[in-house]
Amino acid sequence: MKKLFLLMASAFVMHVAMAQNEKTVEVGGAPMYPSKNIVENAIHSNDHTTLVAAVKAAGLVETLQGAGPFTVFAPTNEAFNKLPAGTVDNLLKPENKAMLTKVLTYHVLAGKYNAKDIAKLIKAGHGNAVLKTVEGENLMASMEGNKLVITDAKGGKSYVTIADVNQSNGVIHVVDNVLLP
């Protein structure tokens, strides 16, 4: 019993030490650990409670905990609040799961694209880069000064407010608007 306790205690100490040595980025008042997956980190962000609820309602938790890699443009609660009144509540209804899934997967790219990768694509595209989403439609990436801008199919612009939040299965870029297919 004593050996088991010592083994468990040393494992815990190693876990804490590893977590303390990780280069974290704070999002929504919580550190995001590169050793954790997208869902494990997102659930701790106070700025992403609506996104987390939507991911759960759409049944995408298991997918976003998968190996990936994924690039996620993660809208904040404030971004969801910019949508017309009742939109989020309507999307969260079980009968609208397909539409919710479409909207959420429109924020996801297959593969890991950090800000420098996207900037290279923009440069190669002479100012614009077309990004194919998991949903199947495209997003357009561009720069406005030093700001990375993601434009949706409807012409809506979303600015990356926190870039390169590394995860064990990809990267998150926090955005200030919901992207709509």
Side-chain angles (χ1 to χ4, degrees), residues 5-162:
F5 174 76
L6 290 174
L7 182 62
M8 288 174 55
S10 65
F12 176 76
V13 169
M14 283 184 60
H15 174 73
V16 169
M18 286 176 54
Q20 289 176 342
N21 289 329
E22 289 185 76
K23 186 177 187 297
T24 62
V25 174
E26 189 168 303
V27 176
M32 301 289 115
Y33 294 97
S35 62
K36 294 184 178 183
N37 67 48
I38 291 165
V39 174
E40 289 172 328
N41 274 318
I43 62 173
H44 296 291
S45 169
N46 291 329
D47 290 344
H48 291 90
T49 56
T50 304
L51 178 61
V52 170
V55 166
K56 288 177 181 178
L60 294 173
V61 170
E62 190 173 307
T63 300
L64 291 175
Q65 287 180 323
F70 304 106
T71 299
V72 177
F73 297 105
T76 60
N77 295 340
E78 190 175 300
F80 280 101
N81 290 338
K82 291 178 185 178
L83 294 172
T87 301
V88 173
D89 290 337
N90 194 40
L91 282 171
L92 292 175
K93 292 179 180 176
E95 62 267 24
N96 294 326
K97 183 177 178 179
M99 178 55 77
L100 177 61
T101 300
K102 183 178 176 84
V103 169
L104 292 175
T105 57
Y106 190 61
H107 290 79
V108 181
L109 309 177
K112 182 177 180 180
Y113 297 91
N114 65 32
K116 284 184 181 180
D117 296 330
I118 296 171
K120 286 178 189 175
L121 293 171
I122 292 168
K123 186 175 181 179
H126 306 287
N128 291 302
V130 176
L131 306 173
K132 183 82 162 180
T133 69
V134 170
E135 182 269 339
E137 294 185 48
N138 295 329
L139 293 168
M140 185 71 64
S142 61
M143 299 295 293
E144 285 185 14
N146 290 331
K147 294 182 180 180
L148 177 58
V149 182
I150 307 298
T151 305
D152 65 26
K154 297 186 183 306
K157 289 185 176 183
S158 189
Y159 294 86
V160 173
T161 58
I162 303 174

